[in-house]
């Protein structure tokens, strides 16, 4: 089971690196990167790429195996990731999302790809120059309901290539993957809209592939260092072997490929939750520091009726943060030990999304004008926080997933 006695030597070692990076490379430029939306933190990206090559990429951020042998991943890998993602997000959540080599695209390849596909695409993460990967799922009419995807993929018998047409919106790191670096994006498309989820497959599209074009770059509330784009696909031709999963549509059942792709989220949702907790911890620590500077001491251990209102607020925030972290640790421990964790992944993401929103908002409220202005990073953390309640499944969707798991209902029975 999970041990709370002592962190592993590997976690302690990498946390020292993460803390140094967060304090010296992220915090000093955090405001600048937020103001200059669209700027790319190349110093951070190049440093992290080099550091991950020397230390082992999985030590710092989500990093699939590059040899197609995910079963040989060292135990506690996802626990290690959670600790370090939390620390990097404490530094700056937007810059953390600019960490190269990993990403949802490579996670999807690991989850649903063949050994040959993993070797072909994931080995590229170890090249000399950093690359990014992305995953394109969301469409204007298909947000949380993946069965509504309309982007079409059809096989051209003459060339044995897949031809994709459609539009994808809100693609995280899409510009970095397809323009700024020689990466790839995993696009979800349907072979047959009438088949629902059973007809959906994912396709690896590499940078410089004709027919895929960025048509919009979003201006966002928070995480502004991280790019979010819209792709259009017009007769985009993809090699047959770049499809993840089985091309055969099996009537009235989801294929292994689709299920494997969805398993990606059971791994990544707790890691998103860890990022949220890093932002929340940053805000809470700053609040405590500023209160202490004004002579406000938080007297832990006293009955609530003997505490001031501010003390009660801070202690409640502490409780929320710690309970959310425990949910994350449980979910990633289960991932490391090969245990089904759909319920725990959904609960950790749901809880952390709510907690980071509440803590950052409350910190701004307690400090009033000081929390609202731009002299401090509190207002930025407030803006960065909200995305954690939205991407990788909104709070409402994760609540629905958790309810299905607890009550034993299928997606068709409980919507």
């Amino acid at each position: 089971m999970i041990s709370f006695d002592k962190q592993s030597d590997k976690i302690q070692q990498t946390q020292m690196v993460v803390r140094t990076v967060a304090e010296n490379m992220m915090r000093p430029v955090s405001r600048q990167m937020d103001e200059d939306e669209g700027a790319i933190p190349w110093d951070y990206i190049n440093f992290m790429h080099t550091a991950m090559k020397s230390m082992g990429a999985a030590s710092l951020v989500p990093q699939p195996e590059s040899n197609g042998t995910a079963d040989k991943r060292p135990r506690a890998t996802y626990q290690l990731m959670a600790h370090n993602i939390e620390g990097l997000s404490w530094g700056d959540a937007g810059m953390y999302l600019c960490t190269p080599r990993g990403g949802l695209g490579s996670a999807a390849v690991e989850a649903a790809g063949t050994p040959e596909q993993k070797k072909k695409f994931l080995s590229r993460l170890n090249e000399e120059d950093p690359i990014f990967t992305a995953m394109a799922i969301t469409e204007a009419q298909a947000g949380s309901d993946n069965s509504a995807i309309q982007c079409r993929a059809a096989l051209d018998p003459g060339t044995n290539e897949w031809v994709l047409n459609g539009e994808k919106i809100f693609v995280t790191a899409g510009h970095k993957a397809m323009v700024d670096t020689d990466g790839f994006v995993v696009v979800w498309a349907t072979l047959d809209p009438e088949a629902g989820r059973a007809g959906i497959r994912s396709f690896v599209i590499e940078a410089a592939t004709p027919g895929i074009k960025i048509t919009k770059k979003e201006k966002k509330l928070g995480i502004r260092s991280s790019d979010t784009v819209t792709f259009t696909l017009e007769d985009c031709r993809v090699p047959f072997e770049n499809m993840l999963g089985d091309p055969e549509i099996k009537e009235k059942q989801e294929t292994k490929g689709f299920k494997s792709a969805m398993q990606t989220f059971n791994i990544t949702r707790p890691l998103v939750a860890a990022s949220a907790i890093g932002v929340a911890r940053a805000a809470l620590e700053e609040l405590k520091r500023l209160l202490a500077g004004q002579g406000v001491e938080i007297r832990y251990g006293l009955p609530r009726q003997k505490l001031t209102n501010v003390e009660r607020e801070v202690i409640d925030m502490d409780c929320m943060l710690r309970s959310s972290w425990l949910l994350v640790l449980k979910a990633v421990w289960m991932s490391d030990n090969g245990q089904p964790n759909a319920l725990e992944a959904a609960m950790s993401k749901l809880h952390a999304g709510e907690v980071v929103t509440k803590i950052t908002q409350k910190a701004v409220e307690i400090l009033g004008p000081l929390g609202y202005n731009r002299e401090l990073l509190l207002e930025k953390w407030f803006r960065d926080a909200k995305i954690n309640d939205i991407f990788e499944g909104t709070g409402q969707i994760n609540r629905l997933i958790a309810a299905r798991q607890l009550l034993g209902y299928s997606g068709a029975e409980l919507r």
Side-chain angles (χ1 to χ4, degrees):
M1 292 296 292
I2 305 172
S3 173
F4 297 100
D5 293 336
K6 180 184 177 182
Q7 292 177 347
S8 71
D9 292 340
K10 186 67 172 179
I11 289 177
Q12 292 185 57
Q13 175 192 0
T14 57
Q15 278 194 308
M16 291 177 61
V17 176
V18 165
R19 182 77 183 192
T20 300
V21 170
E23 289 181 341
N24 297 291
M25 296 194 72
M26 303 175 90
R27 283 288 181 91
V29 299
S30 186
R31 174 62 68 187
Q32 175 189 341
M33 296 303 302
D34 180 69
E35 299 282 353
D36 190 11
E37 184 170 11
I40 302 175
W42 283 114
D43 288 345
Y44 168 77
I45 291 169
N46 290 325
F47 174 85
M48 291 297 287
H49 182 63
T50 301
M52 287 185 290
K53 287 179 69 176
S54 62
M55 296 179 61
S59 300
L60 297 174
V61 293
Q63 172 66 49
E65 297 294 325
S66 60
N67 57 7
T69 56
D71 58 322
K72 295 182 180 179
R73 180 190 294 277
R75 288 184 64 176
T77 293
Y78 292 116
Q79 295 170 69
L80 180 60
M81 289 181 191
H83 280 279
N84 294 318
I85 288 169
E86 192 271 351
L88 291 172
S89 298
W90 177 92
D92 187 276
M95 288 181 68
Y96 153 66
L97 290 170
C98 296
T99 307
R101 296 165 65 94
L104 274 176
S106 48
V109 173
E110 182 184 16
T114 64
E116 293 75 20
Q117 289 171 328
K118 293 175 186 180
K119 182 176 180 180
K120 175 182 178 181
F121 297 114
L122 301 184
S123 62
R124 296 188 53 220
L125 303 176
N126 295 313
E127 292 176 353
E128 186 65 26
D129 295 325
I131 70 166
F132 286 80
T133 71
M135 187 153 67
I137 302 177
T138 306
E139 300 177 3
Q141 74 292 331
S144 300
D145 183 8
N146 296 321
S147 65
I149 285 176
Q150 295 298 308
C151 182
R152 292 296 303 271
L155 184 64
D156 181 351
T159 61
N160 204 33
E161 294 176 325
W162 298 103
V163 182
L164 275 68
N165 285 279
E167 182 181 67
K168 293 292 179 179
I169 63 176
F170 301 135
V171 182
T172 300
H175 197 278
K176 289 184 180 68
M178 302 296 277
V179 177
D180 301 317
T181 67
D182 188 26
F184 62 83
V185 60
V186 175
V187 175
W188 287 32
T190 179
L191 305 179
D192 179 6
E194 299 299 321
R197 289 187 174 91
I200 294 173
R201 300 292 185 278
S202 47
F203 301 81
V204 180
I205 302 180
E206 300 177 79
T209 298
I212 183 168
K213 180 181 180 183
I214 294 176
T215 55
K216 182 181 181 183
K217 197 171 181 180
E218 300 288 343
K219 293 185 178 296
K220 304 189 299 297
L221 175 73
I223 56 166
R224 300 176 72 189
S225 298
S226 173
D227 68 87
T228 306
V229 301
T230 295
F231 282 121
T232 58
L233 299 105
E234 296 181 2
D235 293 332
C236 180
R237 291 183 170 270
V238 180
F240 181 84
E241 60 272 16
N242 281 27
M243 191 194 78
L244 306 178
D246 185 351
E248 180 185 355
I249 298 177
K250 299 176 182 179
E251 188 177 358
K252 295 184 180 180
Q253 68 178 29
E254 296 176 6
T255 65
K256 180 180 179 181
F258 180 81
K259 287 185 175 181
S260 296
M262 291 304 295
Q263 288 295 323
T264 304
F265 295 112
N266 294 338
I267 295 172
T268 59
R269 280 173 176 153
L271 301 179
V272 172
S275 179
I277 290 169
V279 177
R281 180 168 67 88
L284 184 54
E285 287 181 357
E286 181 73 347
L287 173 62
K288 290 179 179 180
R289 184 186 72 82
L290 293 167
L291 289 175
Q294 296 297 316
V296 178
E297 178 187 356
I298 309 300
R299 297 170 297 171
Y300 293 92
L302 289 181
R304 287 183 70 86
Q305 66 269 22
K306 293 186 178 181
L307 299 171
T308 65
N309 183 61
V310 169
E311 289 177 290
R312 287 193 293 268
E313 296 272 23
V314 172
I315 290 172
D316 286 346
M317 292 157 74
D318 261 321
C319 291
M320 287 190 289
L321 188 62
R322 295 185 185 207
S323 62
S324 193
W325 182 236
L326 290 175
L327 283 171
V328 170
L329 291 180
K330 176 67 178 297
V332 293
W333 179 87
M334 294 177 74
S335 288
D336 280 328
N337 287 275
Q339 297 184 13
N341 69 336
L343 172 62
E344 290 77 11
M347 289 175 66
S348 65
K349 168 68 168 59
L350 165 65
H351 194 264
E354 292 183 344
V355 162
V356 68
T357 303
K358 289 177 181 178
I359 287 178
T360 53
Q361 179 177 341
K362 185 59 67 175
V364 169
E365 288 176 1
I366 290 174
L367 292 172
L370 188 61
Y372 197 71
N373 68 28
R374 292 169 132 177
E375 292 182 18
L376 302 174
L377 289 170
L378 277 166
E379 62 84 26
K380 176 189 179 299
W381 294 330
F382 183 24
R383 291 184 285 108
D384 286 342
K386 189 56 187 176
I387 190 60
N388 294 283
D389 197 35
I390 298 173
F391 65 2
E392 299 237 11
T394 63
Q396 294 90 337
I397 288 299
N398 279 292
R399 183 172 278 105
L400 186 59
I401 292 170
R404 290 169 182 165
Q405 293 288 322
L406 288 169
L407 300 174
Y409 288 115
S410 67
E413 292 170 322
L414 184 61
R415 300 180 65 84

